[in-house]
Amino acid sequence: MELWQRRGIGILSIGGGAIGVAAGLQLILSRSNPIEWIFCLAFIAIYAWGVWSGTKFLEGDDRALRPLLKYWALQVPTFGSPILGYLLASGFNATVTYQFWPSRISGNMMLGSSFNYSLMQEGTPWSIGVNLFALVVTVWLYRVFGGLAPDNSPKQTAQSLCD
């Protein structure tokens, strides 16, 4: 991996995570419902995890790859429904969403961090989407590190499993 690539992913993870923590703290202080506090605390914890894993990754610790990969993978899906909705973005967001009824496709790009959740919001349309930027980062991290080999254990092949 090139140094600029490690720095880019590390900085997006740290900066996006820090902005997410700050936004979550600001939101939690403005809410009075304990259920909303739980959601905000969960997102704050995810963003803090991104800051930690991004810092370790920037320091060259390849053991941080697994948590960093999971952090970026959590940003790939977005969905909405009258029952539950979810969006998480850190650093940069390029999302394409399909709304089922009325049928439409929309897109969104943003530099920065954001999270959105909904619970039992009557009238919210059913939708599903993907954060294309997070998907590219996740696939790229997985491919660069050869399927997560940096856990200090040898990769198992189909042949070695049969022996």
Side-chain angles (χ1 to χ4, degrees), residues 101-113:
W101 188 259
S103 181
R104 76 174 216 195
I105 295 175
S106 62
N108 181 34
M109 285 180 54
M110 182 188 73
L111 181 63
S113 297

Side-chain angles (χ1 to χ4, degrees), residues 59-80:
E59 292 173 349
D61 186 352
D62 286 340
R63 292 175 299 175
L65 175 66
R66 284 181 188 269
L68 190 64
L69 185 64
K70 290 174 186 175
Y71 175 67
W72 282 95
L74 283 172
Q75 298 175 53
V76 173
T78 74
F79 55 88

Side-chain angles (χ1 to χ4, degrees), residues 47-99:
Y47 281 124
W49 182 32
V51 170
W52 174 84
S53 58
T55 302
K56 291 294 188 185
F57 191 69
L58 262 181
E59 292 173 349
D61 186 352
D62 286 340
R63 292 175 299 175
L65 175 66
R66 284 181 188 269
L68 190 64
L69 185 64
K70 290 174 186 175
Y71 175 67
W72 282 95
L74 283 172
Q75 298 175 53
V76 173
T78 74
F79 55 88
S81 75
I83 302 165
L84 183 67
Y86 169 84
L87 173 122
L88 174 71
S90 175
F92 185 76
N93 177 12
T95 304
V96 176
T97 306
Y98 176 72
Q99 180 178 308

Side-chain angles (χ1 to χ4, degrees), residues 148-160:
L148 297 179
D151 65 353
N152 295 330
S153 64
K155 288 178 81 174
Q156 292 185 337
T157 63
Q159 180 63 35
S160 67

Side-chain angles (χ1 to χ4, degrees), residues 80-85 118-126:
S81 75
I83 302 165
L84 183 67
S118 63
L119 188 62
M120 300 303 191
Q121 296 295 315
E122 193 173 317
T124 301
W126 289 85

